[in-house]
Amino acid sequence: MDSGKEQLLSPSSINEREYFRRSFDARESFDLDSDIDATEFLQSDPLTSSKPSTAAFSNRPRNRWLRNPCRCLTGRSTKCIIGFLVVFALVWLGLGTGGFFAFKKYKQTPPDGLSPPWYPTPKGGTSRNWAESYRRASEMVAKMTLPEKVNVTTGTGWKMGPAVGNTGPATNVGFPSLALQDGPLGIRFADNATAFPAGVTVGATWNKELMYQWGNAHAIEARKKGINAILGPCIGPLGRMPAGGRNWEGFGADPYLQGVAAAESIKGIQAEGVMATIKHLVANEQEHFRQPWEWALPNALSANIDDRTMHELYLWPFGDAVKAGVASVMCSYNMINNSYACGNSKLLNGLLRDEMGFQGFVMSDWLAQRSGVASSLAGLDMTMPGDGEFWEDGKSFWGSELTRSILNGSVPLDRLNDMATRIVAAWYQLGQDDETRFDREGPSFSSWTDEPEGVYAPGSPSEQDTVPVNRYVNVMGDHASLARQIAAEGTVLLRNEGLLPLARDAGNLSDKMARRDSPLRIAIFGEDAGPGEGPNHCPDRGCNQGTLASGWGSGSVEFPYLVTPVEALTKSWEGDGTVKVSTYLTNQPPFAKEPEILRDAQLCIVFANADSGEGYKAWEGVKGDRPDLSLQKGGDELIVKVAQGCNGGSGDVLVVIHTVGPVVMERWIDLPNVKAVLLANLPGQESGNALADVIFGDVNPSGKLPWTIGKTLDDYGEGAKIMYLPNGVVPQQDFKEGLYVDYRHFDKHGTEPCFEFGFGLSYTTFEFSDCTVKQLKEKTALPSPRPRDFAVPPEYDSSIPDEDEVLFPEGFRKLEKFVYPYLDTIDDIVSDPYPYPDGYDIKQPASGAGGEEGGNPDLWETYVTVSANITNTGGSAGKVVPQLYLSYPEGISTVDVEFPVKVLRGFDKISLEKDETRTVTFNLTRRDLSYWDVNMQNWVMVVDGEYKFSVGRSSRDLPLSGTW
């Protein structure tokens, strides 16, 4: 076996199979009426399976003939049989360029990955910041039985507890079951909790303080609901593909912006004592083919990324998260260089733990674990939700199988001890042993029913007592005001030709719009302005109807309410006889039958949107990832018709867009009477109020684009396009564009965007002046030598425990499908030599890039500062976002690498009164100034030539510059 291609993905012998949990169920619901539709190949609704079940979760074939294929085959119809076989062949031949032959070649998980091995897993407890927590954790873990250690690391199964993720307790030592619940918008499946703006809206604020407060408020609500760990924030996907289904959960398409936002929100979450979980590690950039069988293929997509790109782009924000002390990292569904992320030793052991110094625990995404022994050796610490390959099957890769693996010697007890210690240390690190704040009673709500009473484990068919499961605790406090502020500051003003802000009465509007002899006529158009069927109409927000305030999937929440734009706007004009408002909350108003709708309107406000979400759900043509960058439900056509017809084509038009990501605006952006455009992103429950604040000038817009708006999808490059059809049964996605994602690609190719990264207007104006560069430390190519570990990891007795302690206790009542750590018998334990992966017994050299949380401490030292003065030269107070971009030295013969034209390396947000001037200073660290050298395997600073620092309003409006 090639040690450079670790064979950790599937058992290869009969004996090994006994120690691995593989699939024991036939594949169900194979719907041949669909091409490759995610929702048609699920055994049950994977991440929702929620309260209560509805037809939306049905996985039966939609065609009667397909529901009964056997009836057809057992009949006498030759045409029927031939038709069935033809359809079956066409489906498999369409799986990729390799067709049937590719399937024949890849019937099983690829035995060889391209990701090099990195063993053994570095132990936790080396960091100064975690030393005391590890000391206390080691004392507890030393007293645990083997089943208790296994219990701590293994989820109890899907729907086997009140939260979406529940671990087993270590009762004898007083360690509780942990409750893990989705974010990152709020507490998923919970009542009386805030529906915050989405991550992309938070990113669009470019406001570090709001990023912190967003995380902190979320954690306050989670703690009060009895949650130990929030499954957020999200920084993967990064946003390589503008149509990616879950981009909206993250903060934007730049690693620096993502990293700062992640760090601030993690600090906010963990200041409340709740564990943050940074996700998804790594390169889960599209929903299509993200995991096995969700799209009919037996394997997930492999994201193939070179070393430098991995470090400088996709891992960069994870470094910020680790530096911030994040308690948990969630590994993703996809493969990385043909090795599943949750079993990729190079990723989890080498990059995350050795280089970044991660001290917390790694948990799998839900069902992202693809092996038992292999994943534990590769660095996985906690499996979620505990089931094996399928939902609610109770056949865990760990649980009793992990217990068996310890007894037969296939998993070293040393590894299990580290797994359990990391989890317990995180619990201590966050102060969750304080029972005045974490009462050990678990969540006060059920993820599976809205009724006050139910069973503890509804995923089990076993008979159970009915107990109180929902206490309806209201935890929202005053968080609506914070949600409103974030939504307002995350709204981006893209165009304004004197239209905004609007006045609340016609007397203060322009002469063009006001008629002295009649009220001002305002018309509001678009389904996106109104309530539709309500914000919670579709499970997990899995459809686009009414105003768009959130994407769909596990990152969504139950809205306690949703203030719609039409409600807030009409309320602002309510009772004003000088204004007459008409509303048409549809994307197909009866313009032909009632031409006066447009003809009489002097001001037209038109709403449109674009939605997407997680791949297990589909809405119309949107199967997780968007099929294009167009506005949905005829939004572009609506805007064009309104602009052409508003007051006979002379009326003013305000366009408002709610979207999960960039949308192409070329059909209407240059129409002469489109006077203003607002991009409101995904604003959460306070949508309408926040929008009204901006439109009427109560809040001066200060949002900035967290990604580029191109003129076409092609503008983003080939690497930005979703793979909608697989190129093999194991889809291979090569990240050939390297570092050139979003604005970096536009800069490299000289492509003119519609609106550039970092762009956003204000109602006032700002002047930038006096750029000053100050050196604090001399340039040196490499960081200081890696420091010695601050502390020594805990050591335990490594002898195999007494086998009798792993048996089910006498009289123990088991719940069917519940994941337990116990065994029924030990008679079948065989301690044959385990075929550890090649390289497992070779100790890896410590990376010079490591040494503490976040990596070598020298990487975080400030080497140079850049200062600039900003003056508010307009007529009103406002907030400004100064941005700093770095350009590496050019033409250096000693540096044979290519650099982007510029990269974001600093931003701030300050409030300025009229005529006020303030100085902003950016601190640039060694890490900011370095690139990843694939030969040196370290962060390297360019010591020859001059760095250029550009400061300004956006990535293409940079009036100031300085050199170093």
Side-chain angles (χ1 to χ4, degrees), residues 574-791:
E574 197 172 53
D576 187 349
T578 65
V579 176
K580 182 178 179 180
V581 182
S582 301
T583 60
Y584 307 92
L585 305 181
T586 172
N587 285 11
Q588 296 180 324
F591 293 142
K593 293 183 179 180
E594 303 176 43
E596 67 276 7
I597 290 175
L598 284 173
R599 184 185 62 224
D600 293 346
Q602 297 163 274
L603 170 62
C604 296
I605 306 176
V606 56
F607 289 77
N609 65 34
D611 196 4
S612 71
E614 197 166 353
Y616 65 84
K617 298 190 75 67
W619 167 78
E620 295 188 359
V622 185
K623 299 175 181 180
D625 306 305
R626 287 183 288 162
D628 51 45
L629 298 186
S630 300
L631 291 169
Q632 295 167 359
K633 307 184 81 169
D636 291 298
E637 186 69 22
L638 175 65
I639 294 172
V640 171
K641 288 182 178 179
V642 170
Q644 292 175 341
C646 185
N647 205 228
S650 65
D652 289 340
V653 176
L654 165 61
V655 177
V656 180
I657 304 295
H658 291 110
T659 180
V660 291
V663 292
V664 173
M665 303 178 175
E666 294 307 292
R667 285 189 60 188
W668 48 267
I669 192 64
D670 291 324
L671 294 177
N673 58 336
V674 175
K675 299 297 184 182
V677 179
L678 284 169
L679 187 81
N681 292 296
L682 299 174
Q685 67 185 39
E686 287 291 320
S687 173
N689 287 334
L691 182 66
D693 289 341
V694 172
I695 287 177
F696 294 112
D698 301 325
V699 172
N700 196 336
S702 60
K704 301 288 183 178
L705 288 178
W707 21 249
T708 300
I709 297 179
K711 296 180 180 180
T712 69
L713 176 58
D714 289 337
D715 287 351
Y716 295 86
E718 283 301 312
K721 297 180 180 179
I722 301 290
M723 181 191 291
Y724 295 108
L725 293 175
N727 55 12
V729 178
V730 184
Q732 300 293 309
Q733 191 165 69
D734 299 331
F735 287 39
K736 295 179 180 179
E737 73 285 348
L739 303 176
Y740 300 98
V741 170
D742 200 76
Y743 70 90
R744 301 176 184 213
H745 172 85
F746 281 76
D747 288 348
K748 178 180 181 179
H749 296 280
T751 305
E752 187 68 25
C754 182
F755 295 104
E756 71 268 21
F757 175 82
F759 178 83
L761 300 174
S762 171
Y763 295 152
T764 188
T765 55
F766 301 97
E767 181 180 287
F768 288 65
S769 62
D770 303 323
C771 181
T772 303
V773 178
K774 182 179 179 181
Q775 175 178 293
L776 300 184
K777 289 191 173 187
E778 294 283 346
K779 296 178 185 176
T780 56
L782 292 172
S784 300
R786 175 173 175 152
R788 297 181 62 181
D789 293 340
F790 175 80

Side-chain angles (χ1 to χ4, degrees), residues 28 184 207 233 256 271 297 396 411 471 523 762 892 894:
E28 297 179 3
N207 187 324
Y256 185 90
L297 301 179
S396 181
V411 173
R471 300 203 297 270
S762 171
I892 308 301
T894 56

Side-chain angles (χ1 to χ4, degrees), residues 908-926:
D908 203 350
K909 192 166 196 174
I910 59 173
S911 180
L912 294 174
E913 297 295 325
K914 178 183 177 182
D915 298 325
E916 182 184 2
T917 298
R918 286 180 60 183
T919 300
V920 173
T921 300
F922 303 97
N923 296 321
L924 285 101
T925 66
R926 169 179 278 279

